[in-house]
Amino acid sequence: MPLEQLVHIVSGTAMISRRRRGPGPAVVCVHGAGVSGREMLPFVRELGATHDAWAVDLPGFGRSEKPSAPPTLAGLSDAVAAWLEEAGLERACLLGGSFGCQVAVDVAVRHPDRVTALVLTGPTVDPLGRSPVRLAAQWLRNSVHESPRMAPLNVADYVDAGPRRVLASFGVSMRDRVEDKLPYVAVPALVVRGGRDAMVPQAWAEEVTRLLPRGRLVVMEGLPHMVPYRDPRGLARVVAGFLEEVAA
Amino acid sequence: MRPGKAVASFDSATGMLRALSRFLHDKDVPLIGQGPAAVEPAMSALLGAAGRLPRALQEKAYAVSGWAEAVPLRRVAEIRSEELARWVTGHYPRRRYPVAFVGSSNGALTHLAAAVSAPWLPQTLLLPVRRHGVHPDDPRGDLEATRRAGRALLDANPDLVLHHMHDANQDRLMIAGMTYFRVKWRRLPRAYARFLEESLEPGATLVVVECGLRWPSTRVGPRHVFQHGALGGATPEEYEHGGPRVADYLRRYGSPRRAWDYPPADGERPEAEWGFEPELLGDLEELAGRNGWRLARLRFGEPEDLSPAVADLHRSWHEDRGLPADRLLVECFLLLEPWWALRSGSAPFWTVFNTEASHARLRSYLDAADPYDEIRLVLFSHGVDSVGLAPIDAWRELLARARKVGVFTGVDTRAYPRDFAVLARAHRELARIRTTYPMPLPMEWARAEEFLGKREELELRTG
């Protein structure tokens, strides 16, 4: 099933998104640092069978146009909020992967009228691991559990974004104190952790959930950091169940 | 025979003794109190690797670990009850206590004692005894092989009652090379009396913990009984007469039998592991009277009767301290963490084992309690797909009752019930919990007494 590819101009920058339009409410996937919506496509294909599923490339990443300024968290989340309007999605559930969770949380806090619910898969960054050395070590430990098929996608993404922007996005991710914002997320939020995710320790995933006023944690056993890529079908089931609960 | 060598390390009473005494020394319980936290990562990796061995090898390793800590048959008569009692009291810090507990083993009681900062002296200890050449499904053979050793143990220790226990359902792996001698003090050992006299304040309360659970058994001789199975997944009737679940279980394990053949039961007696032998009461009353202590009797029918009350007591205590009181820590068998329960502001709910009955108990507690935001579950693994084992999905279902976080703690769900790494990982994961609270000052016993006195499922009488 081919995905629709769409282009929207947001504040003068072309943003690319892919979509599979199922009958259910809209779910927009926001990718991690340095990468793009590519890693979300298997999941979009799965979820699109039942929901209006999207993966968007943030400005500067993947196929989206490159602004001249380096990325900032507020800039990225403003872009997502504006893109939602351009794409004709008045409100949507945002599904973040890794750093995408930080963007999604920022949107939910600063543009609350745009967001119906959040799904945070592998939310970064654990405040106790907030150093480049620790993050690199966690990334290495996690990478052995990821699908080898994901590596070429990552390389393509890094080439698309360019090394400076990739590094800048890691910096943005590390500086953002997501724990300070979580208490202000008013919508229902599902936190998803892969049981073998070395970048998101269990205790941090629990803390994220605790800080979210309407948070709930699901641990998907045996999975690494990139749950949407590794088990798109399983995650689609979890997300569909969550959205059903939210709607009820 | 050194008492520390004679008593089983992997038993409820010892596990509870270690957890509570470590708490009173202001310590948590890494590796179920058997080793320093520093070796926890290595043990966790080692036991995790053992979990990936072929099943037959795993079972063998488990059986060998039990055999290794059991007492050789010929040395059983060297065991002295007075030395065992001294070994027990040696665990506790020497200081003045306003209250102390004596009697039945109970995980909820471990938390209660920790909350009021008081010692507990077990009435029952497990002495694992080596013997070979007996099939696990041959209870009569087990009795015959060890009858004389039992007699010799009792001759040397007139203050003990021996409950020889044979449970081929849950202890299948363990009883391959050893058998379970559970001894109960029917008279108060001098070391217990001395410890209490040296540590209890004037006007203190001595609480007798009396679990009323009884079980079918056969009288072997004076003070010597043979118990048919044990509390857990199978019913007394199933041990006695078999049934489809037992036949299926024995078939799965390649046993030549389809039911167990116990000698005829001639009555019900205090259950070997949990039940209280009331003969001890006289000495306790006398001691309390002589020292001017209040004697309180805490009585309940089954081990888990105490669990909801102790969980609720903790919850109300946390609430009064201004804590969210939204965390439940569900523990199993000897996996106990009183130190972390208080540090994390959790209400502890103890399950006696990983069985359907314990699962049902927890479910009915959750049905009645105000919802918890967070539920953590520690599950013991005994290595056997035994009759009445509650499957992992059933436990998962209960975790889903948590409003926010419902998680297994230290449990490898795919290895259960052969998840031996839980012995290392339960503490390791629990100790990583974020958002912790200062350790509270000990709860006043009066508060606990008033709270427990109002519970219908318990009887607490003073005087």
Side-chain angles (χ1 to χ4, degrees):
Chain A
M1 169 95 196
L3 301 175
E4 258 180 275
Q5 178 167 315
L6 298 107
V7 184
H8 297 97
I9 308 298
V10 174
S11 314
T13 304
M15 283 176 74
I16 307 295
S17 55
R18 259 74 47 107
R19 177 189 202 183
R20 183 177 175 190
R21 193 172 190 167
V27 177
V28 176
C29 301
V30 184
H31 60 79
V35 293
S36 78
R38 278 189 186 105
E39 284 83 345
M40 295 291 191
L41 299 186
F43 173 72
V44 168
R45 283 197 184 90
E46 283 293 337
L47 189 71
T50 53
H51 291 73
D52 184 11
W54 298 71
V56 62
D57 288 354
L58 294 171
F61 299 92
R63 304 280 181 80
S64 286
E65 219 179 311
K66 319 262 172 298
S68 51
T72 63
L73 191 77
L76 294 173
S77 71
D78 286 349
V80 170
W83 174 87
L84 284 167
E85 190 165 6
E86 284 299 320
L89 299 170
E90 203 182 318
R91 305 182 76 205
C93 166
L94 295 186
L95 181 145
S98 193
F99 166 66
C101 299
Q102 294 174 259
V103 177
V105 166
D106 204 68
V107 177
V109 172
R110 293 175 49 245
H111 306 276
D113 47 342
R114 290 262 160 237
V115 182
T116 54
L118 286 185
V119 178
L120 307 178
T121 67
T124 51
V125 169
D126 177 8
L128 298 187
R130 202 171 267 153
S131 87
V133 177
R134 292 193 95 164
L135 280 180
Q138 288 178 347
W139 182 84
L140 271 176
R141 274 201 294 139
N142 176 72
S143 57
V144 296
H145 299 302
E146 295 289 0
S147 165
R149 285 203 308 272
M150 196 174 70
L153 304 186
N154 292 155
V155 172
D157 286 336
Y158 294 152
V159 170
D160 279 348
R164 288 179 63 177
R165 200 177 299 273
V166 170
L167 284 178
S169 66
F170 291 160
V172 169
S173 170
M174 220 168 57
R175 283 189 299 274
D176 171 46
R177 296 189 181 280
V178 67
E179 67 273 21
D180 291 342
K181 298 177 207 167
L182 294 168
Y184 304 104
V185 173
V187 293
L190 184 72
V191 179
V192 179
R193 174 179 182 265
R196 305 177 85 166
D197 185 343
M199 304 198 62
V200 179
Q202 174 69 21
W204 164 240
E206 291 177 12
E207 184 79 346
V208 168
T209 314
R210 190 173 303 128
L211 290 169
L212 287 161
R214 299 171 71 186
R216 198 156 61 73
L217 175 67
V218 168
V219 177
M220 293 181 68
E221 284 162 26
L223 295 178
H225 186 54
M226 275 304 292
V227 170
Y229 190 79
R230 196 59 198 265
D231 186 7
R233 184 167 295 175
L235 181 63
R237 249 195 323 268
V238 168
V239 171
F242 166 65
L243 291 176
E244 220 168 273
E245 271 174 41
V246 169
Chain B
M1 179 103 230
R2 271 179 41 215
K5 286 257 181 221
V7 179
S9 314
F10 292 96
D11 182 48
S12 50
T14 353
M16 288 161 193
L17 176 64
R18 279 194 303 259
L20 179 60
S21 59
R22 287 183 69 90
F23 177 87
L24 295 178
H25 282 287
D26 196 22
K27 290 179 189 164
D28 57 351
V29 194
L31 298 165
I32 57 166
Q34 290 282 77
V39 300
E40 205 172 50
M43 281 305 287
S44 156
L46 189 76
L47 292 168
R52 285 190 284 279
L53 292 173
R55 186 172 149 183
L57 263 179
Q58 278 182 45
E59 295 183 347
K60 194 84 193 160
Y62 195 73
V64 167
S65 75
W67 174 87
E69 71 156 2
V71 182
L73 204 53
R74 62 187 157 75
R75 299 198 62 188
V76 171
E78 296 169 29
I79 297 171
R80 291 294 172 271
S81 98
E82 202 48 58
E83 285 173 17
L84 297 179
R86 247 197 319 274
W87 173 80
V88 168
T89 58
H91 281 72
Y92 290 109
R94 292 301 152 126
R95 56 180 171 88
R96 301 297 261 180
Y97 298 99
V99 56
F101 301 85
V102 181
S104 292
S105 308
N106 189 291
L109 179 88
T110 307
H111 283 283
L112 175 64
V116 299
S117 193
W120 156 75
L121 304 176
Q123 182 185 33
T124 304
L125 293 176
L126 170 60
L127 311 174
V129 175
R130 278 183 207 167
R131 56 109 181 83
H132 55 86
V134 178
H135 191 277
D137 297 314
D138 178 15
R140 286 179 193 253
D142 186 31
L143 176 59
E144 283 323 305
T146 55
R147 181 196 287 263
R148 274 182 55 199
R151 181 75 267 142
L153 174 71
L154 291 172
D155 286 345
N157 299 283
D159 55 345
L160 294 182
V161 182
L162 171 58
H163 292 247
H164 180 192
M165 188 184 113
H166 181 96
D167 179 6
N169 185 34
Q170 278 154 159
D171 302 330
R172 178 166 211 88
L173 301 183
M174 282 289 178
I175 62 176
M178 59 114 140
T179 197
Y180 282 49
F181 277 13
R182 292 198 188 270
V183 290
K184 292 184 192 290
W185 274 287
R186 62 184 194 100
R187 304 299 308 266
L188 193 67
R190 281 194 306 278
Y192 276 17
R194 192 162 51 242
F195 172 80
L196 292 170
E197 285 180 330
E198 284 170 7
S199 350
L200 278 187
E201 292 168 354
T205 306
L206 180 62
V207 185
V208 189
V209 187
E210 304 178 33
C211 175
L213 186 68
R214 296 171 77 81
W215 207 263
S217 56
T218 308
R219 186 170 184 273
V220 180
R223 295 182 284 120
H224 188 175
V225 297
F226 184 63
Q227 179 170 306
H228 306 185
L231 178 70
T235 62
E237 293 71 33
E238 283 177 311
Y239 284 108
E240 236 31 74
H241 310 295
R245 295 202 306 172
V246 173
D248 174 57
Y249 164 73
L250 292 172
R251 195 176 308 114
R252 279 191 280 120
Y253 275 88
S255 173
R257 294 158 200 264
R258 291 296 169 263
W260 293 297
D261 177 27
Y262 286 97
D266 54 14
E268 289 194 339
R269 297 180 177 81
E271 200 280 336
E273 185 168 10
W274 313 107
F276 180 71
E277 165 53 61
E279 222 186 316
L280 183 65
L281 204 55
D283 282 357
L284 291 169
E285 281 168 341
E286 192 275 325
L287 184 74
R290 181 148 46 82
N291 287 279
W293 304 327
R294 300 164 72 232
L295 189 89
R297 294 178 64 184
L298 177 59
R299 301 170 70 182
F300 45 92
E302 291 181 19
E304 281 164 352
D305 285 348
L306 200 51
S307 300
V310 168
D312 289 343
L313 174 64
H314 276 76
R315 200 175 197 185
S316 79
W317 186 31
H318 296 327
E319 271 165 6
D320 290 356
R321 294 171 54 221
L323 270 46
D326 56 0
R327 282 176 168 167
L328 182 70
L329 173 63
V330 182
E331 296 173 319
C332 186
F333 191 48
L334 58 53
L335 293 167
L336 293 161
E337 260 300 350
W339 199 89
W340 279 104
L342 294 185
R343 257 279 184 256
S344 64
S346 301
F349 185 96
W350 176 69
T351 57
V352 68
F353 219 61
N354 53 20
T355 61
E356 288 164 351
S358 290
H359 178 271
R361 268 302 175 88
L362 175 60
R363 190 181 50 216
S364 65
Y365 174 68
L366 292 173
D367 284 346
D370 286 338
Y372 282 94
D373 277 0
E374 301 182 21
I375 303 178
R376 284 178 182 73
L377 173 58
V378 176
L379 266 184
F380 185 76
S381 265
H382 59 305
V384 189
D385 290 298
S386 45
V387 175
L389 175 81
I392 205 75
D393 281 338
W395 296 107
R396 198 174 271 130
E397 221 176 273
L398 294 185
L399 286 174
R401 299 284 193 93
R403 271 197 298 221
K404 291 184 140 191
V405 176
V407 287
F408 291 105
T409 295
V411 178
D412 179 345
T413 52
R414 281 183 282 193
Y416 169 87
R418 277 171 288 277
D419 171 28
F420 308 123
V422 74
L423 299 173
R425 290 179 183 161
H427 166 269
R428 196 159 182 238
E429 277 191 19
L430 193 57
R432 288 179 177 152
I433 195 169
R434 307 254 172 111
T435 310
T436 56
Y437 305 97
M439 197 55 94
L441 291 173
M443 185 194 294
E444 298 280 339
W445 168 247
R447 176 186 182 143
E449 191 172 283
E450 192 197 339
F451 191 95
L452 299 175
K454 289 180 188 156
R455 302 289 292 215
E456 280 176 6
E457 69 273 32
L458 310 171
E459 195 187 305
L460 181 58
R461 257 197 247 150
T462 311

